[in-house]
Amino acid sequence: MFHIYCDRKEIEEEHRAPINPTVLSSFISALAGTYGSSTIKNYVYGIKAWHVIHGATWKVNDSEVEALLKASGKMAPKESRKKEKQPWTLKHLTEICEALNPNQPKDAAIHACLTTAFWGTARLGEVTVPKLNAFDPNIHVKVSNVRHNIRDRNQLEETIIFLPWTKVAMEKGEKIFWAKQDGITDPQAALTNHLKVNNPPEDSHLFSFKHEDGLRPMTRSIFISRINNIVKDKRLPKLPGHGIRIGSTLEYLLRGVPFDVVKAKGRWQSEAFKGYLREHAQIMAPYMQADPKAYETFVRYAMPPVR
């Protein structure tokens, strides 16, 4: 983008790298009002990163650049601003599960996949595959990765599922876990039913289902398509797939599970978790009451660190 801008303005190479501060300022100004603030920031940081990698001198006043970036953010078009991520709720999850047929192979697999993602606080991409021919046993979750009925010292049961690969743990993988729940959203009953109906082999994708062409892994598109059809038929609000993990976090917090525990369970990295907390009033409400201890707990996580 920077070079396209320079080509159009016929800016000489010697003013591109090391970059001339005036050229950078005009580049930012040209983008303001057309692109979102995060996009412009990424372009500028990308140019700076190029200088660092190649040992080129960065002769730019960063304070001035930050001021320009802040101003460009004020001018960002409305359509460039992301909508607040809406979380799934337990009510929404229940209505979806009620519409799934537990005796139908694909529905049984989707029911198990959905409830595992929700109560396991997992990303949808961690429990599905990108496309039908993309299943890789070294990357995607398999039937053999499930450990059922694990008991702690208090004899409380949980199910642990090992994810061989995640975007933040590419080599060692991560674990998600859940316990039995009440009603139709119970992940244990849903998974047991799925394994009975579809009987996928140990080395196959965990949420594979029977199809006339053979066993199929659960793809993100198959999952989303079925959910969207239910949403349309029942006239429910359409929520994004990534809202499942957010909804899970919200549900556990509203149940009174400590912030530390939910943060660890959802495998939230600190900054992302703090930003998420500031977005949803439902989570913050209990900690905004006249209770010093609760308020102190919230502030410790929601407020930025002292510099």
Side-chain angles (χ1 to χ4, degrees):
M1 285 295 292
F2 175 65
H3 283 297
I4 289 173
Y5 169 79
C6 290
D7 290 343
R8 288 181 175 177
K9 295 293 183 179
E10 298 183 349
I11 295 173
E12 297 178 359
E13 292 289 337
E14 64 185 36
H15 296 305
R16 303 186 189 190
I19 194 168
N20 183 304
T22 302
V23 172
L24 180 60
S25 296
S26 62
F27 174 61
I28 295 172
S29 299
L31 298 177
T34 303
Y35 291 87
S37 59
S38 61
T39 299
I40 299 176
K41 285 181 181 179
N42 287 337
Y43 288 157
V44 173
Y45 296 157
I47 296 169
K48 184 175 182 179
W50 186 93
H51 279 66
V52 173
I53 292 171
H54 294 281
T57 304
W58 182 253
K59 302 177 181 179
V60 175
N61 185 317
D62 287 333
S63 296
E64 293 180 359
V65 171
E66 289 299 325
L68 284 172
L69 291 174
K70 185 176 181 180
S72 67
K74 300 289 185 180
M75 299 170 62
K78 291 182 179 180
E79 57 270 21
S80 72
R81 297 188 177 95
K82 294 181 180 179
K83 294 181 180 179
E84 182 178 310
K85 296 178 181 179
Q86 292 299 312
W88 281 55
T89 63
L90 186 56
K91 181 177 183 297
H92 192 83
L93 177 67
T94 299
E95 291 180 298
I96 295 294
C97 290
E98 288 175 344
L100 294 167
N101 183 349
N103 299 313
Q104 201 276 335
K106 184 170 73 172
D107 274 12
I110 289 175
H111 189 187
C113 183
L114 173 58
T115 52
T116 287
F118 187 88
W119 295 112
T121 321
R123 302 175 182 88
L124 185 55
E126 294 172 340
V127 291
T128 60
V129 298
K131 51 187 178 181
L132 287 175
N133 61 353
F135 173 67
D136 183 340
N138 295 315
I139 295 177
H140 302 113
V141 62
K142 305 177 293 297
V143 176
S144 59
N145 292 138
V146 181
R147 294 174 60 198
H148 299 276
N149 304 323
I150 305 302
R151 292 178 179 270
D152 68 0
R153 64 176 63 186
N154 297 313
Q155 297 304 301
L156 297 175
E157 288 189 2
E158 66 177 350
T159 293
I160 300 175
I161 302 175
F162 175 67
L163 306 174
W165 185 97
T166 69
K167 67 179 185 179
V168 296
M170 300 180 183
E171 296 182 358
K172 62 179 182 179
E174 294 182 297
K175 294 176 182 178
I176 59 173
F177 41 89
W178 42 250
K180 181 177 175 59
Q181 302 295 319
D182 294 328
I184 198 168
T185 68
D186 177 24
Q188 181 174 310
L191 182 59
T192 299
N193 179 70
H194 157 62
L195 296 177
K196 178 181 178 181
V197 171
N198 289 296
N199 192 28
E202 288 286 300
D203 59 348
S204 67
H205 185 250
L206 176 57
F207 302 107
S208 296
F209 61 93
K210 293 177 181 177
H211 187 268
E212 58 184 10
D213 297 327
L215 203 65
R216 283 189 169 182
M218 179 59 64
T219 67
R220 183 186 179 93
S221 61
I222 290 174
F223 180 93
I224 293 295
S225 177
R226 180 67 176 113
I227 297 298
N228 286 344
N229 286 335
I230 293 174
V231 165
K232 183 178 180 180
D233 291 342
K234 302 191 73 169
R235 297 182 180 180
L236 300 172
K238 186 177 180 180
L239 299 178
H242 55 249
I244 296 173
R245 181 167 174 248
I246 297 173
S248 173
T249 300
L250 174 60
E251 177 61 27
Y252 282 118
L253 286 171
L254 290 176
R255 289 185 173 194
V257 179
F259 282 90
D260 312 62
V261 177
V262 177
K263 177 182 168 185
K265 186 182 188 308
R267 297 162 293 131
W268 289 93
Q269 295 191 21
S270 59
E271 293 305 315
F273 191 70
K274 292 174 186 175
Y276 166 66
L277 287 176
R278 287 194 289 269
E279 288 184 5
H280 295 280
Q282 286 176 297
I283 295 175
M284 295 189 285
Y287 298 89
M288 296 293 98
Q289 309 307 312
D291 183 345
K293 291 184 178 180
Y295 180 76
E296 184 179 312
T297 301
F298 173 78
V299 169
R300 184 156 50 90
Y301 282 96
M303 294 298 288
V306 177
R307 296 184 182 280

